[in-house]
Amino acid sequence: MDSNQKRFVEDALDLLNELDEGLMQLEANPNASAPLEQVFRTMHTIKGGANMFGFEKIGELAHQLETLYDLVRQGHLQVSDGLISITLHAFDKVRDLLKEKDAAKIAQADDLKDHLRIAMEFLKSVESQSSTALDSNTVQRDELATFYLCITPTISMTEDGNHPLVFIIQDIAALGTAKTRLMKKASGEVACWELFISTTTPQAELESYFLFVENECHVSYTKLAACDLFEQPEFVQHLETLGDDPFEIATLEPIIALSLERSKKQDDDDDAEGGVVSRKRVLNDTYIKVSKRKIDDLLNWISELIILQAQLTTATSGIQSTDIREVTEQLEMITNRLRDTSLEIGLVPIETLVTKFKRLVRDLSKSLGKKVNFISEGADTEMDKDVIEVMGEPIMHIVRNAIDHGIEKPADRKAAGKSEHGTVKLKAYNSSSYVHIVVSDDGKGIDKDRVLAKAIDKGLVSADVSLTEEEILDFIFHPGLSTASQLSEVSGRGVGMDVVKQKINELRGYVTVKSTPTKGTSIHIKLPLSRSIIEGLLVNVAETRYVVPLNVVDRIDRIPYEALDRENTVNKTIVVNEQPLSVFSLRKEFHKTAALPKTTDIISVTVNGVKKGIAVDRIEGKMQTVLKPLGDAYQQQDFIAGSTILGDGSLALVLDPSRLFLLSHN
């Protein structure tokens, strides 16, 4: 496979993810124009690229399916479950084919014959059933306009409820540039939504979104202007100053008039310049594709540069020279910036996973006979590309479990007073140097008594032991433990969740589970933002050096060592800063025979929301730490996250505070 073919395969795999996203949106809203145009353009791009680089059979399949969606655009064909399924299954096979390393196998593509035949038969049936032209009243889809929608529920509901109306408003807002205002009653219930949206979707299609909830709400539509008002600063500022006051269209008339005047002038200027402006906009926002191997090499060399910079600082610390000090300080500043930029290069949005989850929810809910909505929040949160690749399967397994174990059948949900549609939500956000991923559902929750009974039955715990809720739920990650009543293609074999926890542990991450009966389950995953470079505190204990990650450190206090040495225990509670603090002593745990110091430094850290302390002999200072893996001999010592090379060439161990506190030998 030559370089051009490899580039096509990489681009095509990205395009297939976009295609899945568009098809999911189109299935949810068959009359929506934006996802239809996205699907059509994506297939057209795949067709052109495949034919150009010698993969004609892929191009032919894309051409046949593109023809079907062109009929949808012309109004001759309706979007149906059958059409969506044919398309998804066909391009699933294309995706599998593109993962082949041999270009000849991709070009031969015998596996596509069945999908091509199905697409052609579907096309023939459509052509034989309908040959009528488009209705003369068809609304043009390319007219950009700004609408104002006021949606007033006629039933009692809250903003965080699972009523379909909440999701419909979110779907409409995704059709263009939008701002949604929520107005509440004194009781906290929704009074109305005010939705401002600039979109090419005509009003008739906007109205179709509310077809199935028209008895539960009243919607008014107002076309404010035949242009994008969000491009006008005055319009955006006006919306921001509304506060809790209801919107009045009359207040916008001067802004609309100004916007139309500017729009006309812009059109005249564009005609005069021959489209130069638009070309400049494209050129100002360009991207280049770089081999992942090159990025990995860059990160490795920057890691070595950080170590070298630390060695230079150490070597010149005894030289009394202003010039040398200024050069080392400047080098440290540039190295820090280079480190931050290099880490950002390796980060990609988590939205690359979201499309896969939407597809999983769609297919699995249909096979299990359940109605499930999938919501994502914070999809633009960035993570290390390697972490995303490793975590794809574990998170997918959690989502699969949420649908199979958590979400009830529609009849059961209705009997329990819930909406027939269950909800699976994926939320991602950054906090300090960690990425948090929360997968939650509003299903029946985990039966803790059943989990405990299974654990007792398998001999994992004795029947007379009293366990906390967190300890009971942690059994679901034990190999071989399953509470499924029967085996299925999805679950019941007791494998999966143990692998999920194993993968998270390998990434130095954490996972916790919370569940409420009849309300649902939430699984919280916490992963480090970077796998290679961290900021840390260099500490000394009996001439051995350790590094404590700086992101968990709250404060540092120095106390007499006698205050810590009153009891011969590793963990003890002492008074620090006039507050009781549980302190873990590195000296008591690992260096019992070393000479005693006069003072000890207490590092107060917050781990999983709990404040504790780590006792060290002294703190040497803050440093950038390049994390190096340890050998097999340290694999079982999970409280050691890795090692790092210091400026003087010696080695220091990087601690994982949360796992360090598990070594409680009271």
Side-chain angles (χ1 to χ4, degrees):
M1 189 182 298
D2 62 33
S3 59
N4 289 327
Q5 289 175 326
K6 288 181 180 178
R7 191 174 296 113
F8 163 73
V9 169
E10 292 173 1
D11 291 340
L13 289 173
D14 291 339
L15 288 170
L16 289 175
N17 289 334
E18 294 180 14
L19 184 63
D20 277 358
E21 174 71 24
L23 290 169
M24 295 297 99
Q25 293 181 15
L26 193 58
E27 184 177 43
N29 301 292
N31 294 317
S33 61
L36 174 61
E37 295 299 329
Q38 177 188 338
V39 167
F40 184 80
R41 285 194 304 269
T42 304
M43 285 193 288
H44 186 78
T45 304
I46 293 174
K47 178 187 75 173
N51 290 331
M52 182 182 297
F53 297 112
F55 305 131
E56 286 83 3
K57 292 187 177 179
I58 294 178
E60 186 179 359
L61 177 62
H63 173 70
Q64 294 296 337
L65 290 167
E66 177 192 23
T67 303
L68 288 171
Y69 284 88
D70 191 34
L71 291 174
V72 176
R73 295 169 75 216
Q74 297 174 32
H76 297 309
L77 176 64
Q78 295 293 320
V79 174
S80 64
D81 181 70
L83 177 61
I84 297 292
S85 296
I86 287 173
T87 312
L88 287 172
H89 293 153
F91 282 105
D92 278 347
K93 185 58 67 176
V94 172
R95 182 183 282 107
D96 293 339
L97 194 62
L98 290 176
K99 293 178 181 178
E100 291 281 355
K101 302 296 183 183
D102 188 353
K105 290 183 179 180
I106 300 177
Q108 187 178 5
D110 290 336
D111 292 340
L112 296 182
K113 290 180 179 178
D114 290 340
H115 296 284
L116 182 59
R117 175 182 54 79
I118 293 171
M120 293 178 70
E121 289 176 354
F122 195 96
L123 178 58
K124 288 179 182 178
S125 67
V126 171
E127 290 175 340
S128 64
Q129 290 173 12
S130 175
S131 58
T132 58
L134 275 172
D135 190 284
S136 59
N137 294 325
T138 300
V139 179
Q140 293 296 321
R141 296 176 181 274
D142 56 355
E143 181 187 6
L144 180 63
T146 304
F147 293 92
Y148 164 66
L149 279 64
C150 183
I151 305 103
T152 306
T154 55
I155 60 173
S156 298
M157 59 184 301
T158 57
E159 62 173 312
D160 57 351
N162 291 319
H163 193 278
L165 189 58
V166 177
F167 306 112
I168 289 172
I169 293 172
Q170 293 174 355
D171 290 335
I172 293 178
L175 296 177
T177 305
K179 180 177 179 59
T180 305
R181 300 179 68 234
L182 174 66
M183 315 299 287
K184 293 184 180 181
K185 301 176 183 177
S187 61
E189 294 178 347
V190 175
C192 71
W193 282 276
E194 292 184 344
L195 175 61
F196 302 85
I197 180 167
S198 172
T199 179
T200 56
T201 305
Q203 180 175 325
E205 283 192 20
L206 296 178
E207 293 174 359
S208 69
Y209 277 71
F210 299 93
L211 184 62
F212 299 103
V213 292
E214 58 185 3
N215 294 327
E216 298 170 333
C217 66
H218 172 73
V219 186
S220 63
Y221 305 83
T222 304
K223 183 177 177 180
L224 298 176
C227 62
D228 184 0
L229 289 177
F230 282 89
E231 291 183 349
Q232 310 304 322
E234 295 86 352
F235 176 75
V236 177
Q237 184 178 2
H238 179 74
L239 294 184
E240 291 176 352
T241 57
L242 288 177
D244 295 329
D245 298 327
F247 171 71
E248 293 182 5
I249 296 178
T251 60
L252 270 185
E253 290 179 356
I255 297 175
I256 294 173
L258 179 62
S259 174
L260 292 175
E261 183 180 346
R262 287 176 178 172
S263 179
K264 184 177 184 303
K265 185 176 183 301
Q266 182 65 47
D267 290 341
D268 294 339
D269 292 342
D270 286 349
D271 291 339
E273 295 177 10
V276 173
V277 174
S278 62
R279 286 199 296 272
K280 285 182 179 179
R281 287 175 184 165
V282 173
L283 293 174
N284 285 340
D285 192 16
T286 58
Y287 299 88
I288 59 172
K289 283 205 169 187
V290 181
S291 166
K292 185 176 179 300
R293 177 187 57 79
K294 293 181 180 179
I295 294 178
D296 291 340
D297 289 344
L298 174 66
L299 292 175
N300 289 334
W301 284 117
I302 291 176
S303 298
E304 297 300 324
L305 177 63
I306 290 173
I307 295 173
L308 191 61
Q309 181 266 323
Q311 291 175 337
L312 177 62
T313 302
T314 301
T316 58
S317 60
I319 302 176
Q320 301 298 322
S321 169
T322 303
D323 292 339
I324 291 179
R325 185 172 65 253
E326 288 179 354
V327 169
T328 54
E329 289 176 353
Q330 186 74 7
L331 178 62
E332 182 177 5
M333 181 191 70
I334 293 174
T335 305
N336 288 343
R337 291 182 178 178
L338 188 59
R339 174 206 63 189
D340 295 339
T341 302
S342 66
L343 288 179
E344 290 177 3
I345 290 175
L347 300 180
V348 295
I350 200 173
E351 66 184 355
T352 55
L353 291 176
V354 170
T355 301
K356 295 181 181 179
F357 301 149
K358 288 182 178 178
R359 175 69 188 280
L360 172 67
V361 171
R362 184 253 185 198
D363 294 345
L364 196 55
S365 60
K366 285 183 179 295
S367 65
L368 295 176
K370 297 181 178 181
K371 298 179 180 179
V372 186
N373 292 317
F374 179 79
I375 301 175
S376 62
E377 182 180 327
D380 57 345
T381 302
E382 294 185 323
M383 289 178 63
D384 189 291
K385 190 175 189 298
D386 291 337
V387 176
I388 285 184
E389 291 175 355
V390 172
M391 287 304 301
E393 285 298 323
I395 299 177
M396 189 169 289
H397 188 85
I398 293 174
V399 174
R400 187 183 293 116
N401 271 5
I403 300 172
D404 186 36
H405 289 296
I407 303 296
E408 311 94 328
K409 296 275 189 180
D412 296 335
R413 291 181 62 86
K414 195 171 182 180
K418 298 181 178 180
S419 166
E420 289 187 354
H421 283 78
T423 301
V424 175
K425 181 178 180 180
L426 184 141
K427 179 181 179 182
Y429 60 95
N430 286 327
S431 174
S432 187
S433 60
Y434 284 92
V435 175
H436 298 257
I437 301 173
V438 183
V439 180
S440 58
D441 65 75
D442 64 348
K444 60 187 176 184
I446 298 175
D447 189 338
K448 303 177 187 65
D449 295 335
R450 196 170 181 182
V451 172
L452 181 58
K454 283 282 185 180
I456 295 172
D457 182 57
K458 287 187 171 291
L460 303 178
V461 65
S462 60
D464 57 349
V465 174
S466 178
L467 299 175
T468 64
E469 179 179 313
E470 182 179 348
E471 290 171 332
I472 294 174
L473 291 176
D474 196 55
F475 283 124
I476 69 173
F477 296 107
H478 195 278
L481 192 145
S482 174
T483 58
S485 57
Q486 60 183 12
L487 293 179
S488 71
E489 294 180 359
V490 181
S491 61
R493 303 183 186 276
V495 294
M497 293 303 288
D498 57 321
V499 178
V500 169
K501 189 166 188 178
Q502 178 186 341
K503 292 291 185 183
I504 294 171
N505 288 341
E506 289 174 0
L507 295 171
R508 296 184 288 113
Y510 315 95
V511 57
T512 56
V513 182
K514 292 182 180 179
S515 186
T516 305
T518 73
K519 298 294 185 182
T521 303
S522 174
I523 297 181
H524 188 157
I525 301 170
K526 181 180 176 184
L527 298 167
L529 185 63
S530 168
R531 301 177 66 186
S532 56
I533 304 173
I534 62 173
E535 292 266 2
L537 278 180
L538 181 64
V539 304
N540 191 301
V541 182
E543 304 308 320
T544 299
R545 284 153 150 184
Y546 300 94
V547 175
V548 179
L550 196 62
N551 63 290
V552 298
V553 175
D554 293 328
R555 59 177 289 135
I556 300 167
D557 295 274
R558 178 164 291 174
I559 64 173
Y561 184 75
E562 290 78 6
L564 191 68
D565 199 38
R566 290 175 301 173
E567 305 171 22
N568 191 26
T569 57
V570 176
N571 284 273
K572 63 187 66 180
T573 300
I574 61 175
V575 177
V576 177
N577 192 34
E578 300 181 352
Q579 296 289 332
L581 184 68
S582 175
V583 176
F584 181 96
S585 172
L586 291 175
R587 171 175 283 273
K588 290 288 186 182
E589 177 68 18
F590 304 117
H591 308 279
K592 297 178 182 177
T593 59
L596 301 179
K598 293 182 179 179
T599 61
T600 184
D601 289 340
I602 306 297
I603 305 172
S604 297
V605 301
T606 300
V607 178
N608 296 329
V610 179
K611 182 171 287 190
K612 293 188 178 183
I614 301 174
V616 300
D617 288 357
R618 67 179 182 276
I619 293 173
E620 297 190 4
K622 186 179 76 168
M623 66 173 294
Q624 296 177 47
T625 302
V626 179
L627 207 58
K628 299 289 186 181
L630 292 169
D632 294 338
Y634 289 88
Q635 290 299 312
Q636 301 303 317
Q637 310 298 330
D638 60 355
F639 63 90
I640 300 176
S643 62
T644 187
I645 301 173
L646 303 178
D648 60 3
S650 61
L651 193 73
L653 298 177
V654 181
L655 299 175
D656 186 330
S658 65
R659 293 190 169 94
L660 182 69
F661 292 129
L662 298 178
L663 299 175
S664 53
H665 306 309
N666 291 310

